[in-house]
Amino acid sequence: MRKSGATPATIGLLDGHIVVGLTGRELEELADPDRHSAKLSARDLGIALAAGTDGATTVAGTIAVAHRVGIPVMATGGLGGVHRDAATSFDESADLMAMARTPVLVVASGVKSILDVGATLERLDTLGVAVAGFQTHQFPGFYLRDSGFELDWALASADEAAAAFLAHRQFSPTGFLVANPVAAHQELDRARHDEALSSALALVNVQGVTGKAVTPALLAEFARHTAGVSVQVNRDLVVANATLAGEIAVSLERLS
């Protein structure tokens, strides 16, 4: 991100204070399992601040803080979405509603394939969140470049993404999702992916995992089933998304 001229600023809560621009040491402290850092969505921020706790912010929590301090672009691995059993559980990530009410551009590799991708895209459409692929019309599936769902819009460059976001903000108060697929040579083998997904879904069903614990449990099983390869793919796509977000942020500043 710094190579593009942008300034990275990781967001989190330490000792009851929001920190915008966590240092490497602070990130290690936040990730220390002995600290029992909370997982904070936008709705949790006020309570966490009052309680003086530590916490890592979700996409919803991060863009809430970013918008508050004037940061227009945010990078993540994958956006939260509608869960596969949402018809009965009503389980839908707060990330979607947060993007509907927060005008921040989010760069993500789509949504995790453990979710209902089609339903998530429908919800984003209903909520008025703009979605465009980066150099692709195929919506990425996190570990995979193609989730099987096609997008109406594709952006050819960071400059085009910045220009589209500026134009979007003239007509809508919602966020903007730039779906950036993992590099072709870094994506997870599809057969291995499908096996891991089946195993993860079965495990969560048998164990009766619900709520916030579902996604971590599914990802942990992915990591186990792929012998850690999924974790490396996750790291690779996060780095790529941060790089692209930096380029868009610089272009946005120039165009503004």
Side-chain angles (χ1 to χ4, degrees), residues 41-43 58-64 67 79 92-104 106 123-124 127 129 173-176:
S41 185
R43 69 167 190 170
T58 64
V59 170
T62 301
I63 63 174
H67 181 56
L79 187 70
E92 175 184 312
S93 172
D95 292 353
L96 304 185
M97 186 58 72
M99 287 201 67
R101 62 188 180 214
T102 315
V104 171
V106 175
R123 284 293 288 149
L124 288 169
L127 294 170
V129 176
T174 67
F176 194 111

Side-chain angles (χ1 to χ4, degrees), residues 12-19 22 26 29-30 35 37 48-55:
L13 267 70
L14 278 175
D15 300 321
H17 297 282
I18 291 177
V19 181
L22 289 163
E26 287 173 330
E29 291 177 6
L30 194 59
R35 291 182 76 108
S37 299
L49 285 170
T53 190
D54 298 329

Side-chain angles (χ1 to χ4, degrees), residues 62-86:
T62 301
I63 63 174
V65 175
H67 181 56
R68 176 72 181 273
V69 300
I71 297 174
V73 180
M74 177 259 188
T76 187
L79 187 70
V82 179
H83 283 252
R84 290 173 179 253
D85 61 349

Side-chain angles (χ1 to χ4, degrees), residues 6 40 59-60 75 78 82 104 112 125 150 204 214 248:
L40 305 175
V59 170
V82 179
V104 171
K112 298 176 181 68
D125 183 19
E150 191 169 345
V204 167
V214 171
I248 294 173

